[in-house]
């Protein structure tokens, strides 16, 4: 039986794809490629068609595959094999696992991109060695992959919406609610709020963080709000689920320990009886989702290290 597995991480703008070989302690990349995400009148079929072509391309370059893992964004019900909703990709209740199975030519593991990233960080990244963990990528939005008792907690794709906890402000979120963490602490929110406050356009959250480090009062205020909101959101997460470790991903936390240390202090200040989790930066970068898809594929057919 072949030991190689394919992995596809489908994003709103591009697809990351790779072939991995399971090795002791993780996965070794054999080959990889990126392509713009396919679009079409039926977006689910367009993505499934593209996935089938990419899997064939990877087979031609790397050799026979045991299985493939495909992960997508949005609300995903892995148990049913259905992508319930994705604003970026434009589908609703798409039977993606069935569509992929018809095109892949190998067994397909289908999953959610953030959950797959969390699984990778849990098994081969910053959360390895823990039993209960949360992986929190902070980007355009804020989500959480929850690993409880060593197993992903999904609730039909509805669990882990950390970005929509109410942290007590009066801003309207893109979801329509008021007070959501995502509306003040996502990378997109930092840039947007700085532009609104200062009248000067910010080219992303890192520019705001750099301005804050240089003493820009508007940037300092916006970053202070984000840190306070993240600490308050973590307090709610810790109170309900008590993860041993919280791993932060996304470019916002990739620049160094400074922001993480501020969030750590804010969280500790807000706890009374709750267990303070270990807070760590992600180790796997933007490859986490693809690695997680590879792990799902290997698990599906029992190909292990």
């Amino acid at each position: 039986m072949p030991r190689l597995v394919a992995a596809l991480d489908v994003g709103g703008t591009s697809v990351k794809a790779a072939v991995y070989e399971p090795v002791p302690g993780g996965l070794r990349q054999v080959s990889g490629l990126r392509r713009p995400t396919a679009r079409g009148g039926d977006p689910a079929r367009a993505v499934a068609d593209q996935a089938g072509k990419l899997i064939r391309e990877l087979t031609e370059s790397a050799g026979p595959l045991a299985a493939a893992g495909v992960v997508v964004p949005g609300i995903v019900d892995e148990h049913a094999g259905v992508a319930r909703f994705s604003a970026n990709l434009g589908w609703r209740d798409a039977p993606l696992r069935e569509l992929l199975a018809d095109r892949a030519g190998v067994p397909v593991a289908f999953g959610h991109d953030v959950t797959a990233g969390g699984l990778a960080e849990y098994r081969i990244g910053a959360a390895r060695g823990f039993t209960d963990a949360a992986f929190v990528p902070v980007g355009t939005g804020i989500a959480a992959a929850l690993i409880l008792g060593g197993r992903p907690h999904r609730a039909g794709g509805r669990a882990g919406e950390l970005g929509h906890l109410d942290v007590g402000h009066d801003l309207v979120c893109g979801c329509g609610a008021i007070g959501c963490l995502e509306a003040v602490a996502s990378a997109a929110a930092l840039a947007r709020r700085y532009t609104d406050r200062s009248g000067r356009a910010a080219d992303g959250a890192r520019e705001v963080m750099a301005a804050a480090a240089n003493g820009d009062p508007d940037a300092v205020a916006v970053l202070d709000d984000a840190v306070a909101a993240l600490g308050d959101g973590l307090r709610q997460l810790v109170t309900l689920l008590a993860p041993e470790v919280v791993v932060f991903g996304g470019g916002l936390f990739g620049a160094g320990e400074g922001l993480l240390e501020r969030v750590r202090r804010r969280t500790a200040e807000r706890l009374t009886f709750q267990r303070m989790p270990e807070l760590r930066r992600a180790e796997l970068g933007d490859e986490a989702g693809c690695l997680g898809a590879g792990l799902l594929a290997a698990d599906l057919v029992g190909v292990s290290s």
Side-chain angles (χ1 to χ4, degrees), residues 78-117:
E78 294 98 324
H79 181 73
V82 175
R84 296 294 181 194
F85 176 72
S86 172
N88 288 334
L89 291 170
W91 57 51
R92 188 182 293 273
D93 292 328
L96 264 177
R97 184 167 60 200
E98 178 183 338
L99 294 172
L100 291 164
D102 289 342
R103 293 158 172 78
V106 294
V108 177
F110 171 64
H112 179 240
D113 59 350
V114 174
T115 302

PDB file of all heavy atoms in Angstrom, residues 78-117:
ATOM      1  N   GLU A  78     -18.179  18.004   9.285  1.00  0.00           N
ATOM      2  CA  GLU A  78     -17.376  16.884   8.811  1.00  0.00           C
ATOM      3  C   GLU A  78     -18.148  15.571   8.870  1.00  0.00           C
ATOM      4  O   GLU A  78     -17.992  14.705   8.013  1.00  0.00           O
ATOM      5  CB  GLU A  78     -16.090  16.741   9.626  1.00  0.00           C
ATOM      6  CG  GLU A  78     -15.114  17.890   9.467  1.00  0.00           C
ATOM      7  CD  GLU A  78     -15.211  18.889  10.591  1.00  0.00           C
ATOM      8  OE1 GLU A  78     -16.355  19.123  11.065  1.00  0.00           O
ATOM      9  OE2 GLU A  78     -14.171  19.434  10.997  1.00  0.00           O
ATOM     10  N   HIS A  79     -18.968  15.400   9.903  1.00  0.00           N
ATOM     11  CA  HIS A  79     -19.714  14.145  10.066  1.00  0.00           C
ATOM     12  C   HIS A  79     -20.631  13.907   8.866  1.00  0.00           C
ATOM     13  O   HIS A  79     -20.713  12.787   8.348  1.00  0.00           O
ATOM     14  CB  HIS A  79     -20.525  14.184  11.357  1.00  0.00           C
ATOM     15  CG  HIS A  79     -21.312  12.928  11.607  1.00  0.00           C
ATOM     16  ND1 HIS A  79     -20.714  11.746  11.989  1.00  0.00           N
ATOM     17  CD2 HIS A  79     -22.652  12.678  11.512  1.00  0.00           C
ATOM     18  CE1 HIS A  79     -21.644  10.814  12.112  1.00  0.00           C
ATOM     19  NE2 HIS A  79     -22.816  11.343  11.828  1.00  0.00           N
ATOM     20  N   ALA A  80     -21.306  14.957   8.423  1.00  0.00           N
ATOM     21  CA  ALA A  80     -22.201  14.840   7.267  1.00  0.00           C
ATOM     22  C   ALA A  80     -21.465  14.971   5.942  1.00  0.00           C
ATOM     23  O   ALA A  80     -22.016  14.641   4.889  1.00  0.00           O
ATOM     24  CB  ALA A  80     -23.306  15.898   7.347  1.00  0.00           C
ATOM     25  N   GLY A  81     -20.226  15.470   5.977  1.00  0.00           N
ATOM     26  CA  GLY A  81     -19.482  15.686   4.739  1.00  0.00           C
ATOM     27  C   GLY A  81     -19.958  16.894   3.958  1.00  0.00           C
ATOM     28  O   GLY A  81     -19.774  16.964   2.737  1.00  0.00           O
ATOM     29  N   VAL A  82     -20.526  17.868   4.677  1.00  0.00           N
ATOM     30  CA  VAL A  82     -21.160  19.018   4.021  1.00  0.00           C
ATOM     31  C   VAL A  82     -20.494  20.318   4.469  1.00  0.00           C
ATOM     32  O   VAL A  82     -20.271  20.541   5.663  1.00  0.00           O
ATOM     33  CB  VAL A  82     -22.669  19.066   4.359  1.00  0.00           C
ATOM     34  CG1 VAL A  82     -23.307  20.328   3.791  1.00  0.00           C
ATOM     35  CG2 VAL A  82     -23.370  17.821   3.824  1.00  0.00           C
ATOM     36  N   ALA A  83     -20.166  21.171   3.497  1.00  0.00           N
ATOM     37  CA  ALA A  83     -19.718  22.533   3.780  1.00  0.00           C
ATOM     38  C   ALA A  83     -20.965  23.399   3.909  1.00  0.00           C
ATOM     39  O   ALA A  83     -21.608  23.709   2.902  1.00  0.00           O
ATOM     40  CB  ALA A  83     -18.809  23.036   2.669  1.00  0.00           C
ATOM     41  N   ARG A  84     -21.329  23.740   5.135  1.00  0.00           N
ATOM     42  CA  ARG A  84     -22.599  24.406   5.376  1.00  0.00           C
ATOM     43  C   ARG A  84     -22.635  25.828   4.819  1.00  0.00           C
ATOM     44  O   ARG A  84     -23.631  26.263   4.265  1.00  0.00           O
ATOM     45  CB  ARG A  84     -22.900  24.433   6.884  1.00  0.00           C
ATOM     46  CG  ARG A  84     -23.097  23.062   7.503  1.00  0.00           C
ATOM     47  CD  ARG A  84     -24.336  22.399   6.961  1.00  0.00           C
ATOM     48  NE  ARG A  84     -24.556  21.059   7.568  1.00  0.00           N
ATOM     49  CZ  ARG A  84     -25.399  20.175   7.088  1.00  0.00           C
ATOM     50  NH1 ARG A  84     -26.109  20.440   6.002  1.00  0.00           N
ATOM     51  NH2 ARG A  84     -25.537  19.002   7.683  1.00  0.00           N
ATOM     52  N   PHE A  85     -21.525  26.561   5.006  1.00  0.00           N
ATOM     53  CA  PHE A  85     -21.541  27.956   4.548  1.00  0.00           C
ATOM     54  C   PHE A  85     -20.126  28.488   4.453  1.00  0.00           C
ATOM     55  O   PHE A  85     -19.281  28.222   5.313  1.00  0.00           O
ATOM     56  CB  PHE A  85     -22.348  28.821   5.514  1.00  0.00           C
ATOM     57  CG  PHE A  85     -22.334  30.289   5.165  1.00  0.00           C
ATOM     58  CD1 PHE A  85     -23.044  30.759   4.070  1.00  0.00           C
ATOM     59  CD2 PHE A  85     -21.593  31.189   5.915  1.00  0.00           C
ATOM     60  CE1 PHE A  85     -23.023  32.106   3.735  1.00  0.00           C
ATOM     61  CE2 PHE A  85     -21.568  32.535   5.591  1.00  0.00           C
ATOM     62  CZ  PHE A  85     -22.286  32.994   4.498  1.00  0.00           C
ATOM     63  N   SER A  86     -19.853  29.242   3.406  1.00  0.00           N
ATOM     64  CA  SER A  86     -18.617  30.019   3.292  1.00  0.00           C
ATOM     65  C   SER A  86     -18.918  31.298   2.534  1.00  0.00           C
ATOM     66  O   SER A  86     -19.299  31.251   1.358  1.00  0.00           O
ATOM     67  CB  SER A  86     -17.518  29.240   2.570  1.00  0.00           C
ATOM     68  OG  SER A  86     -16.401  30.092   2.316  1.00  0.00           O
ATOM     69  N   ALA A  87     -18.761  32.427   3.220  1.00  0.00           N
ATOM     70  CA  ALA A  87     -18.996  33.714   2.561  1.00  0.00           C
ATOM     71  C   ALA A  87     -17.955  33.965   1.475  1.00  0.00           C
ATOM     72  O   ALA A  87     -18.276  34.463   0.390  1.00  0.00           O
ATOM     73  CB  ALA A  87     -18.968  34.839   3.595  1.00  0.00           C
ATOM     74  N   ASN A  88     -16.699  33.593   1.743  1.00  0.00           N
ATOM     75  CA  ASN A  88     -15.631  33.870   0.785  1.00  0.00           C
ATOM     76  C   ASN A  88     -15.737  33.011  -0.469  1.00  0.00           C
ATOM     77  O   ASN A  88     -15.432  33.470  -1.572  1.00  0.00           O
ATOM     78  CB  ASN A  88     -14.269  33.639   1.439  1.00  0.00           C
ATOM     79  CG  ASN A  88     -13.913  34.704   2.452  1.00  0.00           C
ATOM     80  OD1 ASN A  88     -14.395  35.827   2.356  1.00  0.00           O
ATOM     81  ND2 ASN A  88     -13.099  34.360   3.425  1.00  0.00           N
ATOM     82  N   LEU A  89     -16.169  31.768  -0.313  1.00  0.00           N
ATOM     83  CA  LEU A  89     -16.217  30.858  -1.461  1.00  0.00           C
ATOM     84  C   LEU A  89     -17.606  30.757  -2.065  1.00  0.00           C
ATOM     85  O   LEU A  89     -17.768  30.222  -3.163  1.00  0.00           O
ATOM     86  CB  LEU A  89     -15.698  29.479  -1.052  1.00  0.00           C
ATOM     87  CG  LEU A  89     -14.193  29.478  -0.759  1.00  0.00           C
ATOM     88  CD1 LEU A  89     -13.755  28.168  -0.131  1.00  0.00           C
ATOM     89  CD2 LEU A  89     -13.393  29.731  -2.027  1.00  0.00           C
ATOM     90  N   GLY A  90     -18.614  31.244  -1.372  1.00  0.00           N
ATOM     91  CA  GLY A  90     -19.925  31.386  -1.983  1.00  0.00           C
ATOM     92  C   GLY A  90     -20.772  30.143  -2.048  1.00  0.00           C
ATOM     93  O   GLY A  90     -21.634  30.038  -2.920  1.00  0.00           O
ATOM     94  N   TRP A  91     -20.554  29.188  -1.125  1.00  0.00           N
ATOM     95  CA  TRP A  91     -21.416  28.017  -1.148  1.00  0.00           C
ATOM     96  C   TRP A  91     -22.233  27.914   0.131  1.00  0.00           C
ATOM     97  O   TRP A  91     -21.920  28.506   1.148  1.00  0.00           O
ATOM     98  CB  TRP A  91     -20.627  26.738  -1.383  1.00  0.00           C
ATOM     99  CG  TRP A  91     -19.522  26.448  -0.410  1.00  0.00           C
ATOM    100  CD1 TRP A  91     -19.595  26.434   0.965  1.00  0.00           C
ATOM    101  CD2 TRP A  91     -18.170  26.090  -0.739  1.00  0.00           C
ATOM    102  NE1 TRP A  91     -18.381  26.092   1.515  1.00  0.00           N
ATOM    103  CE2 TRP A  91     -17.490  25.865   0.495  1.00  0.00           C
ATOM    104  CE3 TRP A  91     -17.485  25.900  -1.930  1.00  0.00           C
ATOM    105  CZ2 TRP A  91     -16.153  25.487   0.551  1.00  0.00           C
ATOM    106  CZ3 TRP A  91     -16.153  25.528  -1.866  1.00  0.00           C
ATOM    107  CH2 TRP A  91     -15.496  25.333  -0.647  1.00  0.00           C
ATOM    108  N   ARG A  92     -23.285  27.127   0.051  1.00  0.00           N
ATOM    109  CA  ARG A  92     -24.141  26.850   1.201  1.00  0.00           C
ATOM    110  C   ARG A  92     -24.649  25.402   1.070  1.00  0.00           C
ATOM    111  O   ARG A  92     -25.167  25.015   0.035  1.00  0.00           O
ATOM    112  CB  ARG A  92     -25.317  27.837   1.251  1.00  0.00           C
ATOM    113  CG  ARG A  92     -26.159  27.740   2.516  1.00  0.00           C
ATOM    114  CD  ARG A  92     -27.338  28.712   2.460  1.00  0.00           C
ATOM    115  NE  ARG A  92     -26.906  30.098   2.497  1.00  0.00           N
ATOM    116  CZ  ARG A  92     -26.698  30.783   3.636  1.00  0.00           C
ATOM    117  NH1 ARG A  92     -26.849  30.187   4.800  1.00  0.00           N
ATOM    118  NH2 ARG A  92     -26.341  32.052   3.588  1.00  0.00           N
ATOM    119  N   ASP A  93     -24.473  24.626   2.140  1.00  0.00           N
ATOM    120  CA  ASP A  93     -24.904  23.221   2.175  1.00  0.00           C
ATOM    121  C   ASP A  93     -24.398  22.435   0.958  1.00  0.00           C
ATOM    122  O   ASP A  93     -25.146  21.708   0.300  1.00  0.00           O
ATOM    123  CB  ASP A  93     -26.428  23.128   2.268  1.00  0.00           C
ATOM    124  CG  ASP A  93     -26.954  23.640   3.604  1.00  0.00           C
ATOM    125  OD1 ASP A  93     -26.237  23.494   4.611  1.00  0.00           O
ATOM    126  OD2 ASP A  93     -28.069  24.185   3.645  1.00  0.00           O
ATOM    127  N   ALA A  94     -23.101  22.581   0.699  1.00  0.00           N
ATOM    128  CA  ALA A  94     -22.480  21.896  -0.442  1.00  0.00           C
ATOM    129  C   ALA A  94     -21.988  20.516  -0.021  1.00  0.00           C
ATOM    130  O   ALA A  94     -21.234  20.393   0.956  1.00  0.00           O
ATOM    131  CB  ALA A  94     -21.312  22.718  -0.978  1.00  0.00           C
ATOM    132  N   PRO A  95     -22.377  19.442  -0.734  1.00  0.00           N
ATOM    133  CA  PRO A  95     -21.947  18.079  -0.381  1.00  0.00           C
ATOM    134  C   PRO A  95     -20.518  17.815  -0.842  1.00  0.00           C
ATOM    135  O   PRO A  95     -20.259  16.955  -1.696  1.00  0.00           O
ATOM    136  CB  PRO A  95     -22.957  17.209  -1.128  1.00  0.00           C
ATOM    137  CG  PRO A  95     -23.288  18.013  -2.350  1.00  0.00           C
ATOM    138  CD  PRO A  95     -23.269  19.469  -1.906  1.00  0.00           C
ATOM    139  N   LEU A  96     -19.587  18.518  -0.247  1.00  0.00           N
ATOM    140  CA  LEU A  96     -18.226  18.515  -0.781  1.00  0.00           C
ATOM    141  C   LEU A  96     -17.541  17.154  -0.667  1.00  0.00           C
ATOM    142  O   LEU A  96     -16.783  16.765  -1.558  1.00  0.00           O
ATOM    143  CB  LEU A  96     -17.385  19.590  -0.079  1.00  0.00           C
ATOM    144  CG  LEU A  96     -17.282  20.917  -0.816  1.00  0.00           C
ATOM    145  CD1 LEU A  96     -16.502  21.917  -0.006  1.00  0.00           C
ATOM    146  CD2 LEU A  96     -16.612  20.724  -2.178  1.00  0.00           C
ATOM    147  N   ARG A  97     -17.764  16.435   0.431  1.00  0.00           N
ATOM    148  CA  ARG A  97     -17.087  15.132   0.541  1.00  0.00           C
ATOM    149  C   ARG A  97     -17.498  14.221  -0.606  1.00  0.00           C
ATOM    150  O   ARG A  97     -16.657  13.532  -1.197  1.00  0.00           O
ATOM    151  CB  ARG A  97     -17.398  14.476   1.883  1.00  0.00           C
ATOM    152  CG  ARG A  97     -16.618  13.160   2.083  1.00  0.00           C
ATOM    153  CD  ARG A  97     -16.684  12.685   3.511  1.00  0.00           C
ATOM    154  NE  ARG A  97     -18.050  12.444   3.946  1.00  0.00           N
ATOM    155  CZ  ARG A  97     -18.421  12.392   5.223  1.00  0.00           C
ATOM    156  NH1 ARG A  97     -17.528  12.586   6.177  1.00  0.00           N
ATOM    157  NH2 ARG A  97     -19.679  12.154   5.537  1.00  0.00           N
ATOM    158  N   GLU A  98     -18.787  14.215  -0.951  1.00  0.00           N
ATOM    159  CA  GLU A  98     -19.257  13.395  -2.069  1.00  0.00           C
ATOM    160  C   GLU A  98     -18.665  13.872  -3.383  1.00  0.00           C
ATOM    161  O   GLU A  98     -18.220  13.069  -4.212  1.00  0.00           O
ATOM    162  CB  GLU A  98     -20.783  13.459  -2.120  1.00  0.00           C
ATOM    163  CG  GLU A  98     -21.413  12.694  -3.272  1.00  0.00           C
ATOM    164  CD  GLU A  98     -22.922  12.858  -3.313  1.00  0.00           C
ATOM    165  OE1 GLU A  98     -23.521  13.190  -2.278  1.00  0.00           O
ATOM    166  OE2 GLU A  98     -23.487  12.665  -4.409  1.00  0.00           O
ATOM    167  N   LEU A  99     -18.644  15.179  -3.592  1.00  0.00           N
ATOM    168  CA  LEU A  99     -18.079  15.720  -4.822  1.00  0.00           C
ATOM    169  C   LEU A  99     -16.598  15.388  -4.944  1.00  0.00           C
ATOM    170  O   LEU A  99     -16.105  15.045  -6.026  1.00  0.00           O
ATOM    171  CB  LEU A  99     -18.277  17.241  -4.863  1.00  0.00           C
ATOM    172  CG  LEU A  99     -19.721  17.749  -4.966  1.00  0.00           C
ATOM    173  CD1 LEU A  99     -19.765  19.262  -4.804  1.00  0.00           C
ATOM    174  CD2 LEU A  99     -20.344  17.333  -6.301  1.00  0.00           C
ATOM    175  N   LEU A 100     -15.874  15.481  -3.830  1.00  0.00           N
ATOM    176  CA  LEU A 100     -14.446  15.176  -3.850  1.00  0.00           C
ATOM    177  C   LEU A 100     -14.200  13.693  -4.093  1.00  0.00           C
ATOM    178  O   LEU A 100     -13.301  13.316  -4.852  1.00  0.00           O
ATOM    179  CB  LEU A 100     -13.812  15.600  -2.519  1.00  0.00           C
ATOM    180  CG  LEU A 100     -13.744  17.105  -2.275  1.00  0.00           C
ATOM    181  CD1 LEU A 100     -13.464  17.397  -0.807  1.00  0.00           C
ATOM    182  CD2 LEU A 100     -12.678  17.759  -3.149  1.00  0.00           C
ATOM    183  N   ALA A 101     -15.014  12.836  -3.464  1.00  0.00           N
ATOM    184  CA  ALA A 101     -14.836  11.397  -3.630  1.00  0.00           C
ATOM    185  C   ALA A 101     -15.016  10.975  -5.084  1.00  0.00           C
ATOM    186  O   ALA A 101     -14.341  10.055  -5.567  1.00  0.00           O
ATOM    187  CB  ALA A 101     -15.816  10.641  -2.736  1.00  0.00           C
ATOM    188  N   ASP A 102     -15.903  11.666  -5.798  1.00  0.00           N
ATOM    189  CA  ASP A 102     -16.148  11.336  -7.208  1.00  0.00           C
ATOM    190  C   ASP A 102     -14.983  11.713  -8.110  1.00  0.00           C
ATOM    191  O   ASP A 102     -14.887  11.221  -9.239  1.00  0.00           O
ATOM    192  CB  ASP A 102     -17.408  12.055  -7.701  1.00  0.00           C
ATOM    193  CG  ASP A 102     -18.688  11.490  -7.102  1.00  0.00           C
ATOM    194  OD1 ASP A 102     -18.652  10.353  -6.588  1.00  0.00           O
ATOM    195  OD2 ASP A 102     -19.718  12.198  -7.136  1.00  0.00           O
ATOM    196  N   ARG A 103     -14.114  12.602  -7.627  1.00  0.00           N
ATOM    197  CA  ARG A 103     -13.067  13.149  -8.488  1.00  0.00           C
ATOM    198  C   ARG A 103     -11.647  12.774  -8.079  1.00  0.00           C
ATOM    199  O   ARG A 103     -10.730  12.880  -8.888  1.00  0.00           O
ATOM    200  CB  ARG A 103     -13.189  14.691  -8.498  1.00  0.00           C
ATOM    201  CG  ARG A 103     -14.465  15.181  -9.178  1.00  0.00           C
ATOM    202  CD  ARG A 103     -14.806  16.592  -8.709  1.00  0.00           C
ATOM    203  NE  ARG A 103     -15.910  17.179  -9.477  1.00  0.00           N
ATOM    204  CZ  ARG A 103     -17.190  16.883  -9.293  1.00  0.00           C
ATOM    205  NH1 ARG A 103     -17.520  15.992  -8.370  1.00  0.00           N
ATOM    206  NH2 ARG A 103     -18.123  17.463 -10.010  1.00  0.00           N
ATOM    207  N   ALA A 104     -11.437  12.355  -6.846  1.00  0.00           N
ATOM    208  CA  ALA A 104     -10.070  12.237  -6.335  1.00  0.00           C
ATOM    209  C   ALA A 104      -9.341  10.988  -6.794  1.00  0.00           C
ATOM    210  O   ALA A 104      -8.117  10.998  -6.974  1.00  0.00           O
ATOM    211  CB  ALA A 104     -10.097  12.287  -4.813  1.00  0.00           C
ATOM    212  N   GLY A 105     -10.049   9.881  -6.920  1.00  0.00           N
ATOM    213  CA  GLY A 105      -9.391   8.642  -7.291  1.00  0.00           C
ATOM    214  C   GLY A 105      -8.722   7.927  -6.134  1.00  0.00           C
ATOM    215  O   GLY A 105      -8.138   6.847  -6.312  1.00  0.00           O
ATOM    216  N   VAL A 106      -8.763   8.505  -4.946  1.00  0.00           N
ATOM    217  CA  VAL A 106      -8.231   7.902  -3.718  1.00  0.00           C
ATOM    218  C   VAL A 106      -9.203   8.235  -2.589  1.00  0.00           C
ATOM    219  O   VAL A 106     -10.025   9.155  -2.719  1.00  0.00           O
ATOM    220  CB  VAL A 106      -6.821   8.440  -3.369  1.00  0.00           C
ATOM    221  CG1 VAL A 106      -5.792   8.018  -4.411  1.00  0.00           C
ATOM    222  CG2 VAL A 106      -6.839   9.964  -3.219  1.00  0.00           C
ATOM    223  N   PRO A 107      -9.139   7.522  -1.455  1.00  0.00           N
ATOM    224  CA  PRO A 107      -9.988   7.891  -0.316  1.00  0.00           C
ATOM    225  C   PRO A 107      -9.725   9.333   0.117  1.00  0.00           C
ATOM    226  O   PRO A 107      -8.576   9.793   0.103  1.00  0.00           O
ATOM    227  CB  PRO A 107      -9.570   6.894   0.771  1.00  0.00           C
ATOM    228  CG  PRO A 107      -9.011   5.733   0.018  1.00  0.00           C
ATOM    229  CD  PRO A 107      -8.345   6.304  -1.191  1.00  0.00           C
ATOM    230  N   VAL A 108     -10.786  10.042   0.500  1.00  0.00           N
ATOM    231  CA  VAL A 108     -10.675  11.465   0.846  1.00  0.00           C
ATOM    232  C   VAL A 108     -11.149  11.708   2.265  1.00  0.00           C
ATOM    233  O   VAL A 108     -12.268  11.320   2.642  1.00  0.00           O
ATOM    234  CB  VAL A 108     -11.492  12.342  -0.122  1.00  0.00           C
ATOM    235  CG1 VAL A 108     -11.423  13.813   0.305  1.00  0.00           C
ATOM    236  CG2 VAL A 108     -10.976  12.195  -1.539  1.00  0.00           C
ATOM    237  N   ALA A 109     -10.326  12.373   3.063  1.00  0.00           N
ATOM    238  CA  ALA A 109     -10.712  12.894   4.368  1.00  0.00           C
ATOM    239  C   ALA A 109     -11.079  14.363   4.178  1.00  0.00           C
ATOM    240  O   ALA A 109     -10.298  15.133   3.597  1.00  0.00           O
ATOM    241  CB  ALA A 109      -9.571  12.762   5.368  1.00  0.00           C
ATOM    242  N   PHE A 110     -12.242  14.748   4.643  1.00  0.00           N
ATOM    243  CA  PHE A 110     -12.752  16.101   4.437  1.00  0.00           C
ATOM    244  C   PHE A 110     -12.880  16.801   5.783  1.00  0.00           C
ATOM    245  O   PHE A 110     -13.364  16.202   6.756  1.00  0.00           O
ATOM    246  CB  PHE A 110     -14.111  16.020   3.741  1.00  0.00           C
ATOM    247  CG  PHE A 110     -14.850  17.326   3.661  1.00  0.00           C
ATOM    248  CD1 PHE A 110     -14.338  18.381   2.938  1.00  0.00           C
ATOM    249  CD2 PHE A 110     -16.067  17.488   4.313  1.00  0.00           C
ATOM    250  CE1 PHE A 110     -15.010  19.588   2.860  1.00  0.00           C
ATOM    251  CE2 PHE A 110     -16.753  18.677   4.247  1.00  0.00           C
ATOM    252  CZ  PHE A 110     -16.231  19.737   3.514  1.00  0.00           C
ATOM    253  N   GLY A 111     -12.438  18.059   5.857  1.00  0.00           N
ATOM    254  CA  GLY A 111     -12.469  18.739   7.142  1.00  0.00           C
ATOM    255  C   GLY A 111     -12.474  20.249   7.039  1.00  0.00           C
ATOM    256  O   GLY A 111     -12.590  20.837   5.965  1.00  0.00           O
ATOM    257  N   HIS A 112     -12.311  20.871   8.210  1.00  0.00           N
ATOM    258  CA  HIS A 112     -12.354  22.318   8.389  1.00  0.00           C
ATOM    259  C   HIS A 112     -10.936  22.853   8.534  1.00  0.00           C
ATOM    260  O   HIS A 112     -10.112  22.268   9.242  1.00  0.00           O
ATOM    261  CB  HIS A 112     -13.179  22.628   9.645  1.00  0.00           C
ATOM    262  CG  HIS A 112     -13.292  24.063   9.981  1.00  0.00           C
ATOM    263  ND1 HIS A 112     -12.837  24.593  11.170  1.00  0.00           N
ATOM    264  CD2 HIS A 112     -13.805  25.105   9.277  1.00  0.00           C
ATOM    265  CE1 HIS A 112     -13.081  25.888  11.190  1.00  0.00           C
ATOM    266  NE2 HIS A 112     -13.659  26.225  10.057  1.00  0.00           N
ATOM    267  N   ASP A 113     -10.638  23.969   7.888  1.00  0.00           N
ATOM    268  CA  ASP A 113      -9.252  24.429   7.834  1.00  0.00           C
ATOM    269  C   ASP A 113      -8.677  24.801   9.199  1.00  0.00           C
ATOM    270  O   ASP A 113      -7.553  24.417   9.538  1.00  0.00           O
ATOM    271  CB  ASP A 113      -9.100  25.585   6.839  1.00  0.00           C
ATOM    272  CG  ASP A 113      -9.964  26.799   7.150  1.00  0.00           C
ATOM    273  OD1 ASP A 113     -10.847  26.726   8.041  1.00  0.00           O
ATOM    274  OD2 ASP A 113      -9.783  27.841   6.484  1.00  0.00           O
ATOM    275  N   VAL A 114      -9.441  25.528  10.021  1.00  0.00           N
ATOM    276  CA  VAL A 114      -8.925  25.930  11.335  1.00  0.00           C
ATOM    277  C   VAL A 114      -8.772  24.715  12.239  1.00  0.00           C
ATOM    278  O   VAL A 114      -7.778  24.583  12.969  1.00  0.00           O
ATOM    279  CB  VAL A 114      -9.831  26.990  11.980  1.00  0.00           C
ATOM    280  CG1 VAL A 114      -9.373  27.295  13.405  1.00  0.00           C
ATOM    281  CG2 VAL A 114      -9.819  28.275  11.153  1.00  0.00           C
ATOM    282  N   THR A 115      -9.737  23.810  12.191  1.00  0.00           N
ATOM    283  CA  THR A 115      -9.633  22.595  13.001  1.00  0.00           C
ATOM    284  C   THR A 115      -8.427  21.765  12.583  1.00  0.00           C
ATOM    285  O   THR A 115      -7.713  21.202  13.426  1.00  0.00           O
ATOM    286  CB  THR A 115     -10.914  21.762  12.881  1.00  0.00           C
ATOM    287  OG1 THR A 115     -12.027  22.558  13.293  1.00  0.00           O
ATOM    288  CG2 THR A 115     -10.852  20.523  13.752  1.00  0.00           C
ATOM    289  N   ALA A 116      -8.185  21.688  11.278  1.00  0.00           N
ATOM    290  CA  ALA A 116      -7.022  20.951  10.791  1.00  0.00           C
ATOM    291  C   ALA A 116      -5.728  21.608  11.271  1.00  0.00           C
ATOM    292  O   ALA A 116      -4.780  20.924  11.682  1.00  0.00           O
ATOM    293  CB  ALA A 116      -7.044  20.881   9.269  1.00  0.00           C
ATOM    294  N   GLY A 117      -5.677  22.940  11.235  1.00  0.00           N
ATOM    295  CA  GLY A 117      -4.507  23.640  11.755  1.00  0.00           C
ATOM    296  C   GLY A 117      -4.305  23.375  13.233  1.00  0.00           C
ATOM    297  O   GLY A 117      -3.176  23.183  13.705  1.00  0.00           O
TER     298      GLY A 117
END
